[in-house]
Amino acid sequence: MRKYAVSDSQLISQYKNGNEEAFAELVNRHKNKIYTTIYLIVKDQFLAEDLLQETYVKVVNTIKSGRYNEEGKFLPWVTRIAHNLAIDHFRKAKRYPMIVMEDGSNIFNTLEFSEDSIESRQIQQDTHALLRDLIKELPDSQREVLMMRHYMQMSFQEIAEATDVSINTALGRMRYALINLRKKMNKLNIAYDQNLYPR
Amino acid sequence: MIKTFTQDDLIRYIYQETTPEESIEIETALIFDEQLSETYNNLSGTVESLKAVKLKPSEDTIDKILSYSKSYDLHALR
């Protein structure tokens, strides 16, 4: 996990004391991870943006009203709010996310790049878009564990408790998710390449 | 004697959920067990790929969030 000079809990303390810059830092620090979590559930860019706003309205309301008590665990807490809002959205709409292979072209515009050439950017865009589609194709139980562990940074024990299964089942679902992803990547010839996935 | 490890153990290791002792044992096993090492490379390669799947929300959305926070006291007074 990335280490920051100022921790999340320090930023929250500053924010509680009225420092809006600290809040801006918190939002910018985690926005991509939380947005990706929501997007991978709802599969719609505009809806994901709305739900991201809703997530942070809850965050602001909770912190500013003095009800925040998860010091040091900011990201899992926010991501859990985002995850629940995204799932609630489908419950309200009385449907669970179906596999939709959208063209994703508008999303390409918002991807961050670290390489310079147009060609390498295009390869990176295509590969990331394919990977997103592959994650969306996973069975719900596998995708849920993958997102909880990978994006929400919950431990396997926490996932087991949250999903009411044993830790071995949670680990098994993660294993199948990774194996299925690998198989799909191999089928499409997507290889792990350090140049494509800079740390 | 080198301990036998499962794929689930490797997943816990990749996500840094093994104890320091387990990590050392797994790292030792990875040196001697070719099949385990291959499985590890596949799993960790997939996890690395996942790290690349990140999207970025629009600046407009972030601005709205920050504005909401700045005007929270106004909302709360209503």
Side-chain angles (χ1 to χ4, degrees), chain A residues 43-89:
Chain A
K43 303 159 186 175
D44 178 290
Q45 185 190 1
F46 299 108
L47 182 57
E49 301 253 356
D50 284 348
L51 290 174
L52 183 71
Q53 277 188 61
E54 263 189 65
T55 300
Y56 273 102
V57 164
K58 280 181 185 280
V59 168
V60 169
N61 292 348
T62 305
I63 296 177
K64 289 225 176 193
S65 63
R67 287 178 288 123
Y68 179 75
N69 60 4
E70 292 193 50
E71 299 268 352
K73 289 184 177 177
F74 179 75
L75 180 60
W77 173 62
V78 181
T79 323
R80 218 166 297 165
I81 294 172
H83 181 265
N84 290 342
L85 279 173
I87 296 296
D88 279 353
H89 168 80

Side-chain angles (χ1 to χ4, degrees), chain A residues 96-120:
Chain A
Y96 200 75
M98 302 295 287
I99 297 163
V100 179
M101 301 291 278
E102 86 297 334
D103 78 15
S105 54
N106 49 359
I107 289 148
F108 284 178
N109 301 333
T110 61
L111 274 168
E112 281 186 327
F113 303 111
S114 58
E115 299 200 5
D116 296 320
S117 82
I118 291 168
E119 193 185 357
S120 68

Side-chain angles (χ1 to χ4, degrees), chain A residues 165-176:
Chain A
V165 297
S166 69
I167 189 167
N168 285 339
T169 302
L171 275 164
R173 286 176 180 173
M174 186 69 182
R175 171 164 38 93
Y176 280 117

Side-chain angles (χ1 to χ4, degrees), chain A residues 15 20 32 36 39 49 61 64 107 110-111 132 149-151 155-156 174-175 179 182 185 192 197, chain B residues 7-8 11 15 17 42 45-46 48-50 52-58 61 64-65 68-69 72:
Chain A
Y15 179 48
E20 293 291 331
N32 296 354
T36 305
Y39 175 80
E49 301 253 356
N61 292 348
K64 289 225 176 193
I107 289 148
T110 61
L111 274 168
R132 288 199 302 273
R149 186 62 194 88
H150 203 86
Y151 294 99
S155 70
F156 287 113
M174 186 69 182
R175 171 164 38 93
I179 290 170
R182 167 59 55 191
M185 286 163 72
Y192 170 64
Y197 310 116
Chain B
Q7 291 186 351
D8 289 355
I11 290 170
Y15 281 101
E17 288 195 23
N42 280 333
T46 309
E48 285 302 319
S49 303
L50 280 173
V53 183
K54 263 188 209 166
L55 294 164
K56 189 180 170 187
S58 69
T61 295
K64 282 178 186 163
I65 290 167
Y68 177 81
S69 175
Y72 174 82

Side-chain angles (χ1 to χ4, degrees), chain A residues 4-61:
Chain A
Y4 294 98
V6 183
S7 69
D8 287 354
S9 55
Q10 286 171 314
L11 288 173
I12 291 165
S13 297
Q14 290 172 19
Y15 179 48
K16 280 178 177 170
N17 291 327
N19 184 346
E20 293 291 331
E21 290 301 314
F23 180 63
E25 169 63 26
L26 264 179
V27 171
N28 283 308
R29 185 177 281 186
H30 301 301
K31 64 184 179 185
N32 296 354
K33 214 158 210 177
I34 297 166
Y35 178 68
T36 305
T37 300
I38 299 171
Y39 175 80
L40 289 173
I41 298 171
V42 302
K43 303 159 186 175
D44 178 290
Q45 185 190 1
F46 299 108
L47 182 57
E49 301 253 356
D50 284 348
L51 290 174
L52 183 71
Q53 277 188 61
E54 263 189 65
T55 300
Y56 273 102
V57 164
K58 280 181 185 280
V59 168
V60 169
N61 292 348

